[in-house]
Amino acid sequence: MNPDPSLQLRVFDLNCWAIRYLSKLRQERIGLIGDTLSQEGFDLALLQEVWSERDYCELKQKLTAHYPYSHYFKSGVIGSGLCVFSRYPILDTFLYQYSLNGYPYMLQHGDWFCGKAVGLLVITICGIIFHVYVTHLHAEYCREKDAYLPHRVVQAWELAQFIQHTSKGADVVLLGGDLNMHPKDVGIRLLRGWTGLRDSFADTERFEGCEDGCTLVPANCFTSTEELQPFPLGIRIDYILYKGLSHFVMKCDNLVTTTGTAPGQRIPYSDHEAIIATLCVKRRGEAEGSRVRAVEPELVDVVNEARTEVRVGLHAAERQRYSKGRMAVLSLLLLLLQAAMGLSSLAGWDSQQPFPKFSFSLLGLLATVVLLVSTALYIFHTIEVKMLQGTEEQMRLALQALQDRFSSM
Amino acid sequence: MNPDPSLQLRVFDLNCWAIRYLSKLRQERIGLIGDTLSQEGFDLALLQEVWSERDYCELKQKLTAHYPYSHYFKSGVIGSGLCVFSRYPILDTFLYQYSLNGYPYMLQHGDWFCGKAVGLLVITICGIIFHVYVTHLHAEYCREKDAYLPHRVVQAWELAQFIQHTSKGADVVLLGGDLNMHPKDVGIRLLRGWTGLRDSFADTERFEGCEDGCTLVPANCFTSTEELQPFPLGIRIDYILYKGLSHFVMKCDNLVTTTGTAPGQRIPYSDHEAIIATLCVKRRGEAEGSRVRAVEPELVDVVNEARTEVRVGLHAAERQRYSKGRMAVLSLLLLLLQAAMGLSSLAGWDSQQPFPKFSFSLLGLLATVVLLVSTALYIFHTIEVKMLQGTEEQMRLALQALQDRFSSM
C-alpha cells in the first residue's frame, strides 16, 4: 500500500452566459463547451448561467460517456443556472436559495428572476468525501454606485454560513462559481475569512492564463469594453476556492484560464473566461495532526465592514418600504374618494359630474394599478427589511462569538 | 471524575398563537408564558408563532435573569414567529426558509406571509455540542382536501435535508416545533426516517398529560371543536424530536403536556398545549461504539410516497400556471384591442364609439388589473413548479442512493 497516496483532480469552472434569445452564438458556444468537456475529460465541471434546461439536457446527452453523473439545480422563475457534471457518483444534493437577490422590478437586470442560490453536491472519490459547492452571486452593474452591494454581501454571508454549517462531515470542500466580486471586495474577504477557503489563483504553484487571473477580459469579444474601461487588464470575479478538512490537505498544482478565445477556436466559450484547476488532495501527515484553523483577528474588521454595508442596505430598504407604503395609502385614498364621488353621482346628490367620465375612469384605473403595484412592493421591501435586520443580528452575534474567542485566548 | 456523567436538560416547546389583534387574550397569555418560563427555569424554551417582535422583546426583558441568551429568527413579511430562550450561550444561528409555503392570495390562511422556516442554533452545554432546531410548518386547514399537502411534504423534506446536512458537527440534535402533521403522516415518517430523529412521546419513560400526547385538544377553550370533531381526543402536531450523534446517546426521561389550561390558571397558554421534556444526554458506552445508523428498508416506500405527493402538487401547480398564463394573455389581447379601438376613435376613423366611454374605461381597468395580477401569479406558479420539480428530482436521487445502499449490503 502506498504510504502517501495523493489524489489529483481536474476541475473546470465556467459562467456559460447561455441566455436563450439574448446571448450571442449561444448554441455554437454550448456545442463548443460540450466538445471541450468531452475531450478533456475533467473530473468535475461546475457551470453557471446555463439558464435553459434544454441546453443542460443537450450537454448531458453529449457528456454521458465521460460524465455519467450530473445535476441541474432548479430554482427561481428561470432556474438557478447552476449545473454540475461529474465523473464520480453524486450521492446527495442540497440547494440554498439566497434570501435577497435584487428586485423584481429591475427587469433590465433580471437577477431576481434567476433564483440565485448555492448548490451542494456530496461526492465520494477514492473514499474521500467531497462537498462541492457551485454558486452565482448577484451581478454588479455599476461599481461606483452599486445598489446591489448589500444584497451581495448578504449572499456572501449566507454562502459562508451555508458552507460552514454543511461541511462538517466533509474531508474536502470545493467551491466554484461566479461570485461577482473582485478579490479584495468585502464579500470575498468575508467568505474566505469565515470559511478558511483558499484561493486557487493565489495558492497555485503554476499559473497560465490572463494576467492577474482575470476572468472578464477586454480580449474577449463578448465583453463590453466600456464597462471594463477602469480595469485595462480585466477583472477577476470567477473563483475556484477549496480547503481540506479533518485529515486532508488540498493544494492547487496548476491553474489555467482561457485568454479571450476557446483554445484553438475563433470564439470564446462565453463572455467569462473558463478556469481549469488541477488540485491535489493528500492525507495530512501524522506530525501535522488534525489542526483547528486559527481565526485571524482581521476577521472582526471584515465582519464589521460587512455589517456596515448591510446597515446601509437596511436604511435604503426602509426608505423604499416607506415610500411604497405612502404611495399605496395615497392611491387607496384617491380610490375611496372616487368611489364616494361615483356613488353620490349615482344617487343623484350631485346634479353635475365634476370631471368628464372618461378622465374620471382613467384616474381610477391609474389609482388601482398604483395601489396594486405599490402594495406588492411594500410587501417585497418589508421582507427585504426583515432579512437585512436578521443578517445584521446574525453578524452581531458572530462578532460577539469572535471577540469572546479572542479574549479567551 | 464521575465515570458516567449524564446531563439532564429540561426543554419547553410551545406554539404561542400570538397574532396581534387576532389572537384572544394575547397579552395576558404572553405574560403567563413569561411567568412560567421564569419560574420553572427550563434550560431551553422553543417558541413558535411569536409573530410580534414586541412580544418577543417583552419576553426577553422578563426572562433576562433566567435565560440570558435568546434569538428571534426574522423572515417573511410578518417574521418567522420562531424564537428561542436559552440558559446557555448561543454560539451561532442559521436560518433556512422553506422554498414553498402556500400562496400569497390565500389571505385568509396567511401562511405565505409568515416566511415559514427552520432556525438552527448551536449551543454548547458542558462541552457537548447541541444543534437545536426550531420550526413551524404550513398549517393544515382541511384534512380531507388538503391543498397544502405537497408544500408541507416539501417542507418536511427540506427540514430533513437541512438537519442532515447541518448536524454533522453536532453531538446532539434537538428539534422542537409545530410540524402540523399527525404522527403517522407521510411528512413525519419522511423526517424521522431520513434523519433518524426519535420522538420524545414514543420514547419517554414517563408521560403525563393529554391522552396520546395530543397538543391540540377539545378541552382547550381556544380550539375549534368543529375542526376537532373527527378526533375526539385531539391531535398531536407539536413535537420534540432528538438524537444523539457520534459518542452521545439521548433519551427522554419524562414528558409532560399541559391539559387544556396552564397549570393553576383558568386559561391556557395558547390554543396549542405546551410540551415539556426532560432529556438525558450520556456518553455512549465503549461497548456500544459510535454506531452508524442502519437505514430502514421502509424508508424507500416513505420517500416514494412523499414523491407521489410532490408529483400531485406539481400537476396542480402546472395547471395553475397554465390557467394564470392564459388569463394574462387574454387580458393583454383585450387591452390591445381596446387600445386599437381607442386610437381609431381618436384618429376619427370611427364616426361612432361602439361602447359608452365609461363602460369602455371600466373594461380597460378590469383588463389591466387582471393582467397585472395574473402575470404576478404566473411568475409565482412558475417558481412553484420549478421547486416541486427540483424536490422530485432530489427525491429520485435519494431513492437511487438508498437502493444502491441496500443492494450493496
Side-chain angles (χ1 to χ4, degrees), chain A residues 74 76-78 92-96 161 165-166 168-169 358 361 365 368-369 379 382 386 389 394 397, chain B residues 74 76-78 92-96 161 165-166 168-169 358 361 365 368-369 379 382 386 389 394 397:
Chain A
K74 298 191 189 201
V77 186
I78 307 171
D92 202 358
T93 66
F94 191 44
L95 185 76
Y96 179 90
Q161 286 270 78
H165 283 291
T166 56
K168 293 287 185 336
F358 187 67
S361 319
L365 168 70
T368 311
V369 171
I379 291 171
T382 302
K386 283 258 186 278
Q389 283 174 339
Q394 267 198 345
L397 200 71
Chain B
K74 298 193 186 198
V77 185
I78 308 171
D92 202 357
T93 65
F94 191 44
L95 184 75
Y96 180 91
Q161 286 269 79
H165 284 290
T166 56
K168 293 285 185 338
F358 187 68
S361 320
L365 168 69
T368 311
V369 170
I379 291 171
T382 303
K386 283 258 187 276
Q389 283 174 339
Q394 267 197 346
L397 200 72

Side-chain angles (χ1 to χ4, degrees), chain B residues 11 22 37 46 51 54 124 234 254 294 310 342 354 376 408:
Chain B
V11 181
L22 284 177
L37 291 182
L46 313 175
W51 296 118
R54 268 195 230 166
T124 304
N254 192 23
V310 172
S408 70

Side-chain angles (χ1 to χ4, degrees), chain B residues 182-199:
Chain B
H182 298 208
K184 297 276 178 213
D185 283 0
V186 59
I188 281 278
R189 284 182 286 130
L190 182 70
L191 171 68
R192 291 196 49 202
W194 195 251
T195 57
L197 285 170
R198 306 178 70 89
D199 182 355

Side-chain angles (χ1 to χ4, degrees), chain B residues 75-97:
Chain B
S75 90
V77 185
I78 308 171
S80 70
L82 308 171
C83 62
V84 174
F85 292 91
S86 165
R87 267 185 65 197
Y88 302 94
I90 296 168
L91 303 179
D92 202 357
T93 65
F94 191 44
L95 184 75
Y96 180 91
Q97 287 184 290

Side-chain angles (χ1 to χ4, degrees), chain B residues 242-297:
Chain B
Y242 58 81
K243 66 172 174 180
L245 282 160
S246 59
H247 303 292
F248 292 87
V249 274
M250 196 171 196
K251 63 187 184 70
C252 183
D253 286 342
N254 192 23
L255 191 75
V256 176
T257 72
T258 51
T259 51
T261 52
Q265 303 288 329
R266 52 171 193 89
I267 56 159
Y269 294 125
S270 161
D271 60 346
H272 286 240
E273 300 308 312
I275 324 176
I276 299 144
T278 308
L279 302 165
C280 173
V281 187
K282 241 170 86 174
R283 194 170 274 277
R284 208 183 286 275
E286 283 292 314
E288 287 173 294
S290 175
R291 283 175 307 177
V292 173
R293 181 174 63 93
V295 175
E296 307 287 332

